[in-house]
Amino acid sequence: MFRKIFFSVVMLAMVACTTVPITGRRQLALVSSGEMQQMSYQAYRQVLDTSRVLNNSDATMVKRVGGKIQRAVEQYMAQNNMSGQLQGFQWEFNLIQDKQVNAWCMPGGKVAVYTGILPITQNETGLAVVMGHEIAHAIAKHGEERMSQAVAAQAGGSVAAAAMGGSAASQNVFLNVFGVGSQLGMLRHGRKQESEADHLGLIFMAMAGYDPQQAVPFWQRMASQKGGGGAPPTFLSSHPSDETRIADLQRLMPQALKYYKR
């Protein structure tokens, strides 16, 4: 029985794969983007309904930066014949009053920025670093990948097949993977995905007209938040080490600057 389940998972993994834009990495895709979007939109509405959503000058800045990065993403995807990967996206950008140093983007383009991160972003370009990074998670389908991995790990091919059919089982996995109901637990990605989001985010912010070189001082400011012996900000919970991140950003900078029009 175990061999049969294992074989089913392997076969599904062989055929159920997608390619991440820009990096070209192949990833597991047992769960459809349409199903993920439907569940994420419900979860996003739940967060907004239980939070203080702001409508001030900072919120206007969040929407402005989000709109620019959205257009950059759509331009990149169109130029590379990948517009189909944005099917079903319902972009939305909101600023939430909360001291958390955090931001996230759910599958389908639903973005939340917490006011606690604004003192570190400092300005619109710093905010573009954050939002470009978080939007990159959605464009790279990291949520779908994490849920596919969870589905495959839980019970093999039978549950994977059920997940692709919009079952209650897939909804339960979604709630567990994304920590819905606990904002602190929402959207924690692996280090490989975080590094990939750094890469894509750098390109997207540059295409949106923001200087990608400002990503380095932003992450340096973010790293300084670890001081005092306390836990790192939620935003850094699973990110690469500071040294690795800075080195990677510097290595990728020549590529990003090709997309930056001053």
Side-chain angles (χ1 to χ4, degrees), residues 233-254:
T234 305
F235 197 66
L236 294 175
S237 60
S238 60
H239 287 231
S241 68
D242 303 329
E243 295 79 8
T244 298
R245 162 166 276 130
I246 298 303
D248 287 345
L249 288 172
Q250 291 172 337
R251 175 177 55 82
L252 294 167
M253 201 59 65

Side-chain angles (χ1 to χ4, degrees), residues 48-189:
L48 297 186
D49 288 345
T50 56
S51 303
R52 183 184 175 191
V53 180
L54 300 182
N55 185 21
N56 55 18
S57 59
D58 285 336
T60 299
M61 179 174 63
V62 166
K63 294 181 187 299
R64 180 170 61 250
V65 173
K68 288 183 178 181
I69 295 177
Q70 172 190 342
R71 290 188 289 275
V73 167
E74 291 171 344
Q75 177 186 352
Y76 179 89
M77 300 300 272
Q79 290 173 345
N80 291 275
N81 299 314
M82 294 181 175
S83 294
Q85 294 191 26
L86 298 178
Q87 183 177 357
F89 266 59
Q90 297 178 15
W91 296 94
E92 191 171 349
F93 312 98
N94 283 293
L95 178 64
I96 294 175
Q97 179 70 52
D98 196 298
K99 63 182 180 180
Q100 289 185 56
V101 180
N102 202 13
W104 42 262
C105 178
M106 300 193 86
K110 299 294 189 182
V111 178
V113 176
Y114 294 115
T115 53
I117 205 169
L118 296 183
I120 304 173
T121 60
Q122 294 186 350
N123 53 43
E124 189 165 320
T125 301
L127 182 60
V129 177
V130 171
M131 296 184 70
H133 173 95
E134 294 304 316
I135 288 170
H137 280 305
I139 302 307
K141 299 187 184 300
H142 288 160
E144 288 90 331
E145 181 179 20
R146 286 185 62 239
M147 187 165 171
S148 294
Q149 291 167 343
V151 165
Q154 279 201 5
S158 60
V159 175
M164 289 186 284
S167 68
S170 64
Q171 192 169 26
N172 289 335
V173 173
F174 178 90
L175 296 176
N176 290 331
V177 166
F178 285 89
V180 174
S182 171
Q183 294 179 20
L184 287 171
M186 188 169 287
L187 296 178
R188 290 179 178 172
H189 298 283

Side-chain angles (χ1 to χ4, degrees), residues 18 27 32 38 47 50 88 100 128 163 182 199 258:
T18 57
Q27 61 187 167
S32 73
Q38 182 180 1
V47 171
T50 56
Q100 289 185 56
S182 171
H199 187 175
K258 293 178 181 178

Side-chain angles (χ1 to χ4, degrees), residues 7-18 26-30:
F7 179 75
S8 298
V9 174
V10 171
M11 291 300 295
L12 279 168
M14 290 176 62
V15 299
C17 288
T18 57
R26 298 284 286 171
Q27 61 187 167
L28 186 64
L30 299 178

